[in-house]
């Protein structure tokens, strides 16, 4: 399954950059959790705008010290080497190097003195510089510099709550653009074609198309429309096809095994976000409580945790701050349903057995399927005598 193009999202960002949507040029801030395709979106924008006039910066990887951050940006820059505002920013120490970085973002130019475009991936990581002397308002300084610059910028982050809080009082140029989940149609467009569909015609090909629609809907339902999960499930399902049928449910079970790619992705996101929050151990305990049952109220969580409502409220706010949980009508639950499934399986004393995984995946799929449709799962259905072979088998989950 290829990474899906998001033309409507790309058009919205490009329109904001050039001001064609009205209201003048704006600075898009793209918000989306782990695996929502923020980085692939920026890399595609780099190609659409042109690599000679665009610089992609993986802030998360190079935000080490202000000095090394500046060095990394300059060395990777496609722009002509000029004295990037050094008249106004002396590169000495942390403060001077950060000011020089802002000057670089402001004064760099593409060929012909055209404005440069910077794609700053996970820009909130610059917050780590606030531990250095003289740097106590790095993110607000950054927003002020970008808003007054003649260059163009696209920012992304996985931390939605923090971005909203930061941008609450930011200059008007910043436009928040959430990354919406994939639609079933977008998932269907990236599915591998059924081999037989190229040679079959008429009603048989129609049946194949209908089966692909069913497959896309099922992958959409169990992936929650998240591009990374959808890609992994579809690819694993396709790899199972030579053994009989395309089976996303069995594929998901394999992907959630201790060494599976979805298990690895969930663990990465889980640990990354917890390490960006306060109260590591207590936060894990709350997530274990919510993995057992959700949604729960503050009082219900405090009772299960055996802590006071006041301290529990603090823990919950820290989890919301890194988007691990969400509160709806004062009831808390996981932001990412797949993360909850992973937690049920792997946040325990022993690794899950194959039976554990199969049982939890079965319950998860039943919960995720649209109530208006039959509870369908793609699996190895037995052939009915006299019926043609199909590339997809569909059976009902009991």
């Amino acid at each position: 399954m290829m990474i899906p193009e998001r033309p409507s999202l790309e058009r919205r960002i490009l329109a904001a950059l050039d001001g064609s949507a009205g209201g003048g040029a704006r600075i898009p801030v793209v918000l989306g959790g782990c695996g929502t395709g923020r980085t692939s979106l920026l890399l595609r924008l780099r190609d659409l705008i042109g690599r000679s006039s665009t610089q992609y910066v993986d802030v998360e990887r190079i935000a080490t010290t202000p000095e090394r951050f500046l060095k990394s940006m300059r060395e990777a820059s496609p722009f002509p080497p000029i004295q990037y505002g050094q008249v106004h920013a002396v590169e000495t120490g942390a403060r001077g190097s950060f000011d020089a970085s802002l000057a670089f973002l402001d004064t760099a130019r593409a060929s012909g003195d055209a404005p440069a475009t910077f794609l700053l991936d996970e820009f909130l990581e610059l917050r780590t510089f606030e531990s250095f002397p003289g740097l106590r308002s790095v993110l607000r300084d950054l927003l002020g510099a970008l808003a007054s610059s003649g260059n163009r910028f696209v920012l992304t982050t996985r931390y939605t709550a923090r971005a909203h809080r930061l941008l609450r009082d930011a200059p008007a140029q910043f436009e928040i653009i959430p990354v919406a989940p994939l639609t079933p149609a977008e998932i269907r467009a990236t599915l591998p074609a059924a081999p037989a569909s190229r040679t079959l015609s008429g009603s048989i090909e129609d049946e194949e198309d209908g089966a692909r629609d069913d497959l896309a809907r099922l992958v959409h339902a169990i992936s929650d429309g998240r591009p990374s999960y959808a890609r992994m499930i579809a690819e694993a399902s396709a790899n199972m096809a030579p053994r009989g049928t395309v089976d996303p449910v069995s594929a998901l079970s394999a992907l959630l095994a201790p060494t599976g790619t979805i298990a690895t992705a969930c663990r990465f996101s889980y640990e990354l976000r917890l390490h960006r929050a306060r109260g590591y151990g207590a936060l894990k305990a709350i997530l274990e409580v919510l993995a057992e049952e959700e949604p729960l109220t503050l009082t219900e969580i405090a009772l299960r945790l055996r802590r006071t409502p006041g301290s529990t409220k603090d823990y919950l706010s820290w989890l919301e701050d890194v988007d691990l949980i969400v509160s709806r009508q004062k009831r808390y639950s996981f932001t990412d349903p797949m993360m909850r499934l992973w937690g049920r399986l792997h946040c325990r004393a022993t690794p899950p057995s194959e039976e554990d995984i199969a049982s939890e995946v079965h319950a998860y799929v039943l919960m995720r399927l649209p109530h208006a449709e039959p509870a369908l799962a793609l699996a190895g259905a037995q052939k009915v005598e006299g019926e043609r072979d199909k590339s997809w088998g569909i059976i009902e989950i009991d």
Side-chain angles (χ1 to χ4, degrees):
M1 177 179 173
M2 61 183 169
I3 296 175
E5 297 178 3
R6 310 296 296 273
S8 60
L9 181 59
E10 293 162 7
R11 285 194 299 269
R12 180 177 175 184
I13 293 173
L14 294 173
L17 287 174
D18 61 26
S20 61
R26 302 175 70 79
I27 300 174
V29 184
V30 181
L31 305 183
C34 295
T36 54
R38 300 179 322 277
T39 297
S40 58
L41 171 67
L42 290 188
L43 295 176
R44 180 163 169 76
L45 286 172
R46 181 181 62 177
D47 291 334
L48 290 173
I49 298 170
R51 295 193 177 209
S52 62
S53 58
T54 308
Q55 181 172 356
Y56 168 82
V57 181
D58 189 340
V59 177
E60 189 170 32
R61 294 290 170 260
I62 65 172
T64 53
T65 66
E67 295 89 343
R68 294 190 65 82
F69 176 76
L70 173 63
K71 179 175 181 289
S72 295
M73 276 206 306
R74 283 183 172 172
E75 289 180 347
S77 177
F79 307 125
I82 59 174
Q83 296 300 306
Y84 299 108
Q86 291 180 30
V87 173
H88 306 290
V90 179
E91 296 174 48
T92 55
R95 180 76 244 186
S97 295
F98 181 68
D99 288 342
S101 295
L102 297 183
F104 167 78
L105 294 171
D106 177 40
T107 61
R109 291 294 181 269
S111 59
D113 203 36
T117 301
F118 286 93
L119 310 174
L120 303 182
D121 202 358
E122 199 51 67
F123 80 102
L124 288 184
E125 285 301 295
L126 289 174
R127 182 183 180 183
T128 59
F129 292 167
E130 294 183 355
S131 62
F132 289 87
L135 296 174
R136 291 295 178 267
S137 57
V138 165
L139 292 176
R140 298 200 178 279
D141 292 347
L142 172 72
L143 297 186
L146 300 190
S148 62
S149 175
N151 281 333
R152 310 194 306 173
F153 305 92
V154 181
L155 315 179
T156 76
T157 182
R158 61 168 61 88
Y159 299 107
T160 300
R162 290 181 174 181
H164 277 287
R165 189 166 59 249
L166 174 67
L167 296 170
R168 191 176 299 146
D169 301 318
Q173 292 98 314
F174 293 90
E175 177 181 350
I176 292 177
I177 300 179
V179 180
L182 293 174
T183 65
E186 287 174 323
I187 290 177
R188 189 191 190 286
T190 63
L191 294 174
S197 65
R198 297 180 181 176
T199 58
L200 297 176
S201 61
S203 62
I204 302 303
E205 187 171 358
D206 291 340
E207 290 178 9
E208 297 290 352
D209 288 339
R212 284 169 59 78
D213 290 338
D214 289 338
L215 174 62
R217 285 196 297 269
L218 182 56
V219 171
H220 176 265
I222 63 180
S223 69
D224 201 35
R226 194 169 294 235
S228 63
Y229 296 155
R231 175 181 54 79
M232 287 186 275
I233 293 168
E235 287 179 350
S237 300
N239 291 336
M240 291 180 174
R243 287 179 268 169
T245 58
V246 176
D247 182 1
V249 178
S250 295
L252 179 58
S253 295
L255 294 167
L256 281 166
T259 58
T261 53
I262 285 185
T264 301
C266 286
R267 180 171 184 172
F268 167 80
S269 180
Y270 176 89
E271 293 292 346
L272 176 69
R273 291 176 184 277
L274 284 178
H275 281 292
R276 294 295 191 275
R278 299 168 60 187
Y280 181 82
L283 301 193
K284 288 176 69 174
I286 289 179
L287 293 175
E288 289 176 8
V289 167
L290 291 175
E292 293 169 0
E293 182 182 356
E294 66 168 25
L296 294 175
T297 65
L298 166 62
T299 301
E300 291 169 334
I301 295 170
L303 288 173
R304 287 165 171 77
L305 203 63
R306 298 186 178 181
R307 294 293 186 273
T308 65
S311 62
T312 303
K313 178 63 176 175
D314 288 339
Y315 298 147
L316 290 168
S317 68
W318 298 339
L319 285 169
E320 287 182 290
D321 185 50
V322 292
D323 305 293
L324 274 168
I325 65 171
V326 63
S327 173
R328 298 184 181 91
Q329 298 180 333
K330 298 184 180 181
R331 299 178 71 85
Y332 296 89
S333 57
F334 273 80
T335 302
D336 178 0
M338 189 72 75
M339 181 78 74
R340 179 176 185 252
L341 173 59
W342 172 83
R344 290 179 63 85
L345 287 167
H346 295 279
C347 293
R348 51 170 71 180
T350 57
S353 66
E354 291 185 6
E355 292 76 14
D356 293 333
I357 295 173
S359 176
E360 289 290 348
V361 167
H362 180 91
Y364 170 83
V365 171
L366 283 177
M367 180 177 63
R368 296 297 305 169
L369 285 173
H371 297 300
E373 297 183 6
L376 296 179
L378 301 180
Q382 294 182 352
K383 298 177 185 176
V384 178
E385 187 176 352
E387 184 177 331
R388 288 180 180 268
D389 289 346
K390 296 181 181 178
S391 296
W392 328 106
I394 303 178
I395 64 172
E396 185 174 349
I397 296 181
D398 296 328

